[in-house]
Amino acid sequence: MGRDRAERLKAAADRLVVVANRLPVTVAKQEQEWTVRPGSGGLVTALAPVLRNRNGLWCGWSGTTEEEEAPLEGLFGEAEKQAGFRLLPVTLSKEEVELFYLGFSNETLWPLFHDLLGRTHFEKTYWESYLKANQRYASTLSGAIDSASPIWVHDYHLIPLGGRLREGGHIGRIGFFLHIPFPTSDLFRRLPWRRQLIEFFLAYDLVGFQTRRDFANFIHCVREMLPDVQIFPGSSHYTILLRGRRILVQHFPISIDFQEFNRLAKFPSTQEAAAIFQDKYPDQKIILGLDRLDYTKGVVPRFRAFQTCLKKYPDLRGKVVLVQVVVPSRIEVPEYQAMKRELEQLLAQINGEFTRPGWVPIHYFFRSLSRLELAAMYRAADIALVTPIRDGMNLVSKEYCASSPDGGVLILSEFAGAAEQLREGAILVNPFDLDGVADAIYGAFHMPMEEQLRRMNHLRNHLRQKNVYEWVNGFLAALQEGQVPAASRSA
Ligand code: GDG
């Protein structure tokens, strides 16, 4: 091998490419002028330093459509300088946004993978657009990166991307991480394109899931749909051999920047904002709900459980308040609008039933929060009520613990991926069991401070270790090595 070629390959292998549905910036048009704002959130924060160190590139949809003709080339210079890595935008057509993004991604895979068969739409045009859009991501990437660079693909919008990149001649390692749950084979089998989708998963070198349950479900589906593959279980992973290729399947529970939330919670400005917030609810314990507007987050059953609690335990009336923040999301989708209406009707009914002078049981905010507001709410809440009916992980539950150095109680759905890790310190509930959730609220209300601190310290110690940096490093190490030590392999 010539020296130049060897050097080129080394430089390419050192470079990290991340692909996600969206870029970590928001592009918007304000009064005829296009603007780019940096994005926030755990994934961006955790990946940014790695991308900076590894001459990185992040590829994703700009959020604009072809028809809008945003001058993207000239737009990202400043954002790239600030981020410290390259941004590679993919532009989708209006039709692709409807069929690929809102359609197959959010009306087919999202509900099916969250066990909601009744909400799942099976449309051939959605599937075709999904394939086409993934091809568009692949073509955009192939023209911009070296074929030897490692690539980390994120989430359900892009399952076919690895296969498409291989067809285009990519030789570097490609890993995939699924942020949402993977369903049981009984559910997955309903998908008309199930076999193709499983084959697409197996085009990667590494496939990562949030929990043990997710990867066990996936392995079960592979066994059922491709009886000829060889599967070797290990202690915390599986190795699949398919047509001479080795695919590693493992779980990597995503986490948060613990130190950042912990630090923010202790800032004087956060403590001040938290105290002002608490003063609005004198002599009441604050129960916090914070979720994107999404039917998987279980806000409607949560309201019903709170109603059950107020009926079952009248002594709590006037002494607790449920502060529910719903952050606008996918609001253009009719199902999300319907959910918002249902939620607001129920809210009016519960508040109508129980409000009395000086006390309103549910305080509802439909808006997003600044980081300071978020930190202050976490800090001020006596109880966090996190009850999704299904969730890949759920970062809110982890952020609440990191922001609660002085106690607080986490009530957590057993159907959130986070329950696998947080079961020892949290009170686990089945969100469909309204009485059970009501009892958990009552128990949390009366939990002595000593027990709160014992549980919370346990949760915080866990999250201090298992933070988002550990998650990034774990995934990238597995992607790089591509194999696990021989000792942990067994047939
Ligand atoms: C998917 C999976 C998985 C929310 N509102 C505001 C705000 N947030 C931040 C929270 C938290 C994040 O958004 C929400 O994360 P979740 O994990 O709870 O939920 P999804 O958005 O559904 O995420 C999920 C996750 O991917 C990661 O793999 O855990 O299961 O569904 O970080 O803090 N932040 C601010 N203002 C808000 O109004 N600043």
Side-chain angles (χ1 to χ4, degrees), residues 320-442:
V320 286
V321 59
L322 172 59
V323 175
Q324 176 65 53
V325 183
V326 174
V327 180
S329 164
R330 301 180 196 166
I331 193 70
E332 65 276 30
V333 179
E335 259 175 297
Y336 286 68
Q337 290 162 12
M339 181 206 140
K340 180 168 180 280
R341 276 196 301 275
E342 186 188 358
L343 188 66
E344 289 170 1
Q345 269 168 18
L346 185 59
L347 166 84
Q349 190 198 322
I350 299 169
N351 278 347
E353 187 179 346
F354 294 101
T355 295
R356 62 183 197 209
W359 180 65
V360 178
I362 306 181
H363 286 238
Y364 167 75
F365 301 76
F366 183 69
R367 64 175 176 90
S368 48
L369 305 174
S370 68
R371 273 186 83 68
L372 175 69
E373 284 177 305
L374 183 77
M377 281 204 179
Y378 283 146
R379 186 76 216 248
D382 299 285
I383 299 165
L385 191 51
V386 186
T387 54
I389 55 173
R390 195 83 177 92
D391 216 333
M393 179 53 59
N394 192 289
L395 296 180
V396 168
S397 58
K398 295 187 170 183
E399 291 168 1
Y400 173 68
C401 299
S403 313
S404 302
D406 304 325
V409 186
L410 172 64
I411 301 178
L412 179 62
S413 162
E414 56 188 270
F415 305 118
E420 218 171 80
Q421 293 175 291
L422 306 184
R423 57 186 334 119
E424 276 183 40
I427 302 183
L428 287 198
V429 291
N430 170 358
F432 299 98
D433 172 10
L434 303 187
D435 271 294
V437 178
D439 296 346
I441 295 174
Y442 192 73

Side-chain angles (χ1 to χ4, degrees), residues 208-258:
F209 295 96
Q210 297 272 28
T211 66
R212 281 176 186 278
R213 187 181 293 261
D214 296 320
F215 94 75
N217 285 345
F218 175 75
I219 292 291
H220 193 143
C221 286
V222 173
R223 275 210 179 97
E224 258 186 27
M225 268 154 240
L226 303 171
D228 295 337
V229 296
Q230 287 176 283
I231 302 179
F232 302 93
S235 53
S236 62
H237 65 276
Y238 280 83
T239 307
I240 296 179
L241 290 185
L242 174 67
R243 297 176 207 121
R245 291 181 45 250
R246 174 196 292 273
I247 302 123
L248 183 65
V249 183
Q250 202 174 324
H251 78 297
F252 301 89
I254 197 170
S255 196
I256 54 160
D257 185 342
F258 177 87

Side-chain angles (χ1 to χ4, degrees), residues 9-177:
L9 282 180
K10 162 111 185 40
D14 285 346
R15 179 171 217 194
L16 176 66
V17 176
V18 165
V19 195
N21 171 49
R22 295 293 287 262
L23 281 173
V25 291
T26 318
V27 181
K29 196 175 189 179
Q30 283 168 344
E31 292 169 12
Q32 302 307 309
E33 195 148 322
W34 287 95
T35 57
V36 179
R37 276 191 295 116
S40 57
L43 189 61
V44 185
T45 318
L47 286 172
V50 189
L51 285 168
R52 265 180 231 129
N53 283 338
R54 293 186 55 177
N55 185 21
L57 177 148
W58 186 311
C59 171
W61 177 35
S62 59
T64 62
T65 61
E66 243 168 18
E67 291 78 358
E68 286 172 296
E69 296 182 348
L72 293 177
E73 277 86 53
L75 222 50
F76 287 121
E78 193 45 41
E80 285 182 330
K81 239 190 261 161
Q82 271 185 28
F85 51 86
R86 265 195 70 197
L87 300 171
L88 178 65
V90 174
T91 306
L92 300 174
S93 68
K94 197 162 171 279
E95 187 182 82
E96 277 166 339
V97 173
E98 274 176 19
L99 304 179
F100 148 70
Y101 175 66
L102 297 170
F104 198 75
S105 301
N106 287 328
E107 285 183 16
T108 309
L109 292 181
W110 178 267
L112 184 69
F113 281 29
H114 284 90
D115 301 348
L116 296 163
L117 188 58
R119 288 187 187 262
T120 308
H121 298 246
F122 297 107
E123 297 277 348
K124 193 159 172 232
T125 51
Y126 286 4
W127 167 248
E128 287 164 352
S129 179
Y130 183 66
L131 297 180
K132 214 172 115 227
N134 269 271
Q135 184 56 54
R136 201 191 259 259
Y137 278 81
S139 311
T140 308
L141 270 167
S142 311
I145 62 169
D146 194 289
S147 62
S149 291
I151 304 183
W152 184 355
V153 179
H154 290 262
D155 232 356
Y156 58 103
H157 316 83
L158 299 176
I159 299 166
L161 182 58
R164 293 291 186 244
L165 287 164
R166 285 278 179 247
E167 284 161 18
H170 195 85
I171 51 167
R173 302 188 66 78
I174 316 180
F176 177 83
F177 183 77

